[in-house]
Amino acid sequence: MEHLKLQDLGEFELIERIRKQVAKGAGVQRGIGDDAAVLSLPDGHHLLTSTDLLIEGVHFRHDWTDCEALGHKAVAVNLSDIAAMGGTPRYLYLGLACPGKTDLADINAFLKGALAEAERHNVVLVGGDTCRSPGPWMISVTIEGSVLARQAIGRDGAQPGDLIMVSGTVGDSALALHLLRNDRDPGAALLVRHHQPKAQVELGRLLGEYRLANAMIDISDGLSSDLEHILQASQVNGIIVEDQLPLSKEFRQHVNTEPDLRGLALNGGEDYELLFTVAPEKAAALTALCAERSVSISSIGVIHEGCGVLSLHDMAGVVRPILVRGYDHFCRS
Ligand code: ADP
Ligand code: MG
């Protein structure tokens, strides 16, 4: 069966196969199979919705990634957006456009990765759309989550005096991509950060529930670029301390031999870590909650009064405004 092509199966049989793989989840009155999904949210919650596109040749290459990892990543990047609002992810929609000659095995692997990542976070696939693509794979994932009205964390709440904090380590995904582009082997640890990012869902919800963060974003374009979004939305300045950026062992090893790569921690993208600001009096409670749950967070700088300027306290002790250089689809550096 696995040698079948998508065109041998047809749209409706594929949808039926997808439907059979999805268990009925909490809150789903009607899922796949009608004109629209009918869903409920817990009382007092607001609906969070976010969507992301993944285009072959722009976001991924089949020769660098396997389809199961791609399915995982397509879902994880959406989970990360709900986490970045302090919410709980709940429902997923999958738009899939692939050439008719696509191996069914590739589609099955993609679905396996996507559904496993969704299930891991109790998220149910409730709809989507399926069509033929004349060339590249195009994947559109939409996620819905919920958040108690007063617990949503926007980008615009950072206050002078707040600590700037980030989860996990930064730069690993961008370093893996840089090495792949140069025909070098990034090694398993860096590759997994690039192909199978882990959305910080538990941390996001924790920050929302206990109202610990004043502003939050997930790092998709790059730490400096995403932090600048917080600074501009909040109309404050920020200084980050280069020496305090959390770096993985693998990242440090590469930077030791190639110092030019250090900038990837600041400007590289696709970390899918959470970047947030915390009032100093709440920092101790946050550190304790994260330690209990083995969630890694680091304080990397401070918010000041201002109008959106990001500065770097560099290794030489010099503080200077930085030229933000995150990923922009229409202005490639
Ligand atoms: P419509 O013509 O109303 O768009 P479709 O035939 O495209 O209906 O879809 C039928 C049902 O299957 C709908 O519930 C839709 O949400 C769902 N569906 C279609 N494609 C996918 C997919 N790739 N993943 C999940 N559900 C899908
Ligand atoms: Mg349709």
Side-chain angles (χ1 to χ4, degrees):
M1 185 188 291
E2 298 305 315
H3 60 271
L4 277 180
K5 305 285 185 194
L6 206 43
Q7 62 206 16
D8 302 323
L9 195 69
E11 176 188 344
F12 298 110
E13 179 57 27
L14 176 63
I15 294 174
E16 185 53 20
R17 286 190 182 195
I18 295 174
R19 193 186 64 76
K20 283 189 181 142
Q21 288 179 58
V22 177
K24 190 180 178 310
V28 182
Q29 313 304 325
R30 285 171 190 267
I32 295 173
D34 217 312
D35 296 306
V38 182
L39 310 165
S40 19
L41 290 182
D43 282 349
H45 282 232
H46 284 182
L47 178 66
L48 301 169
T49 311
S50 175
T51 196
D52 274 296
L53 284 169
L54 279 173
I55 311 289
E56 181 182 348
V58 178
H59 298 94
F60 68 91
R61 284 173 45 167
H62 282 299
D63 52 343
W64 286 350
T65 183
D66 67 78
C67 291
E68 191 173 337
L70 187 62
H72 171 114
K73 186 167 181 173
V75 173
V77 304
N78 277 265
L79 290 168
S80 181
D81 282 319
I82 299 296
M85 298 302 296
T88 300
R90 296 185 185 277
Y91 307 120
L92 197 72
Y93 303 80
L94 176 62
L96 204 52
C98 302
K101 63 178 179 1
T102 304
D103 281 335
L104 195 58
D106 285 347
I107 299 288
N108 286 337
F110 175 84
L111 288 168
K112 186 175 174 206
L115 292 175
E117 182 60 2
E119 263 168 43
R120 197 170 297 130
H121 295 278
N122 295 318
V123 171
V124 200
L125 181 65
V126 294
D129 203 19
T130 307
C131 65
R132 189 180 65 82
S133 163
W137 280 40
M138 291 178 271
I139 302 156
S140 165
V141 181
T142 300
I143 195 161
E144 289 172 339
S146 72
V147 68
L148 267 176
R150 288 169 359 102
Q151 293 179 356
I153 305 171
R155 298 177 178 184
D156 56 356
Q159 300 291 326
D162 280 3
L163 302 175
I164 303 170
M165 306 193 95
V166 67
S167 62
T169 59
V170 288
D172 300 316
S173 173
L175 177 57
L177 182 61
H178 170 84
L179 296 172
L180 285 170
R181 280 191 176 136
N182 289 283
D183 294 321
R184 293 165 61 190
D185 178 10
L190 292 175
L191 272 179
V192 91
R193 291 297 314 272
H194 183 63
H195 288 320
Q196 284 158 293
K198 186 177 171 298
Q200 297 289 348
V201 175
E202 190 189 4
L203 175 61
R205 195 165 30 213
L206 195 70
L207 293 172
E209 193 178 331
Y210 292 95
R211 301 181 56 91
L212 288 169
N214 285 332
M216 178 150 63
I217 193 168
D218 68 320
I219 305 181
S220 53
D221 299 328
L223 171 59
S224 58
S225 163
D226 288 315
L227 183 53
E228 195 179 57
H229 290 316
I230 288 185
L231 301 183
Q232 290 181 349
S234 304
Q235 281 298 293
V236 290
N237 287 353
I239 300 180
I240 46 180
V241 183
E242 191 169 16
D243 202 26
Q244 289 179 11
L245 295 182
L247 306 178
S248 69
K249 180 168 74 16
E250 294 77 16
F251 190 93
R252 283 180 197 279
Q253 278 164 1
H254 278 276
V255 168
N256 278 342
T257 48
E258 294 169 78
D260 287 355
L261 297 178
R262 171 172 283 278
L264 292 173
L266 209 52
N267 301 314
E270 296 201 301
D271 296 305
Y272 299 108
E273 296 295 345
L274 292 178
L275 178 62
F276 50 98
T277 81
V278 179
E281 64 273 16
K282 293 187 176 174
L286 172 60
T287 306
L289 282 171
C290 287
E292 270 168 29
R293 291 163 174 77
S294 303
V295 175
S296 140
I297 53 167
S298 308
S299 173
I300 60 168
V302 181
I303 298 291
H304 295 273
E305 275 182 23
C307 53
V309 179
L310 175 59
S311 299
L312 182 71
H313 181 131
D314 71 15
M315 294 298 200
V318 179
V319 178
R320 57 189 157 82
I322 59 173
L323 179 66
V324 169
R325 280 208 330 244
Y327 188 80
D328 180 316
H329 276 274
F330 295 101
C331 318
R332 298 198 62 172
S333 48

